[in-house]
């Protein structure tokens, strides 16, 4: 498999993860602006005390960065660095494990705790951890 094809696979994974993440951003936005009955109430979307305006700005920033990275990978413009890949894989793995534990504990023994019981934010943090892991894998496998 040539490098261009590999880069397209990484880019597609990133775009797919971004599409999943955008579901949270859009769903939460709808519940803030004009709530609908067929989506969970706003309280289920909010996993922290971060004001919604700040959270939305952070979410949109994340989305822009992921699009930028996916574009650069798919067009062969992102120089892969093995050391960066290692760091991202370690941090992404820790992030994924912590959010997976949060999700599991939140639906079992810590369901009374507000932070743990918010399964929507926990799931989408898994998506973000997957994004970090995908970028880390790109750097690790293609870097020097």
């Amino acid at each position: 498999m040539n490098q261009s094809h590999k880069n397209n696979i990484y880019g597609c994974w990133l775009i797919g993860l971004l599409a999943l993440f955008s579901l949270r951003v859009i769903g939460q936005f709808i519940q803030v602006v004009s709530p609908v009955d067929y989506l969970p109430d706003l309280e289920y979307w909010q996993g922290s005390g971060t004001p919604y305006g700040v959270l939305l700005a952070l979410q949109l920033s994340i989305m822009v960065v992921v699009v930028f990275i996916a574009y650069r990978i798919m067009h062969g413009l992102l120089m892969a660095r093995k050391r960066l890949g290692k760091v991202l894989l370690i941090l992404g793995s820790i992030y994924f494990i912590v959010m997976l534990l949060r999700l599991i504990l939140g639906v079992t023994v810590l369901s009374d705790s507000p932070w743990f019981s918010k399964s929507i934010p926990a799931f989408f943090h898994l998506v973000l951890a997957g994004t970090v892991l995908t970028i880390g894998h790109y750097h690790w496998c293609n870097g020097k």
Side-chain angles (χ1 to χ4, degrees):
M1 183 180 326
N2 66 33
Q3 190 60 44
S4 177
H5 184 69
K6 288 179 187 178
N7 289 352
N8 284 336
I9 292 171
Y10 283 109
C12 286
W13 270 103
L14 289 173
I15 297 302
L17 290 164
L18 179 64
L20 274 175
F21 182 67
S22 69
L23 293 176
R24 182 210 178 162
V25 177
I26 293 166
Q28 190 172 23
F29 182 78
I30 289 169
Q31 292 303 76
V32 167
V33 174
S34 181
V36 294
D37 292 336
Y38 57 85
L39 289 175
D41 291 338
L42 182 60
E43 68 186 63
Y44 295 103
W45 296 89
Q46 190 78 7
S48 68
T50 306
Y52 178 70
V54 173
L55 180 62
L56 181 61
L58 290 170
Q59 291 169 333
L60 294 175
S61 298
I62 290 167
M63 294 171 74
V64 168
V65 169
V66 173
V67 167
F68 178 75
I69 292 170
Y71 176 86
R72 291 189 48 90
I73 288 173
M74 293 175 84
H75 290 85
L77 301 172
L78 186 65
M79 183 177 71
R81 295 176 282 166
K82 197 167 203 71
R83 186 173 179 190
L84 176 58
K86 181 179 180 179
V87 169
L88 290 174
L89 286 170
I90 291 168
L91 293 176
S93 296
I94 293 167
Y95 183 22
F96 190 90
I97 290 166
V98 168
M99 288 301 116
L100 185 60
L101 287 172
R102 173 187 177 186
L103 187 61
I104 292 168
L105 292 171
V107 297
T108 57
V109 296
L110 293 176
S111 60
D112 293 339
S113 170
W115 188 75
F116 283 96
S117 66
K118 304 288 177 95
S119 58
I120 293 173
F123 171 79
F124 286 106
H125 277 289
L126 290 174
V127 171
L128 290 177
T131 302
V132 173
L133 290 168
T134 301
I135 297 167
H137 192 268
Y138 166 80
H139 280 284
W140 175 259
C141 291
N142 298 292
K144 294 177 175 116

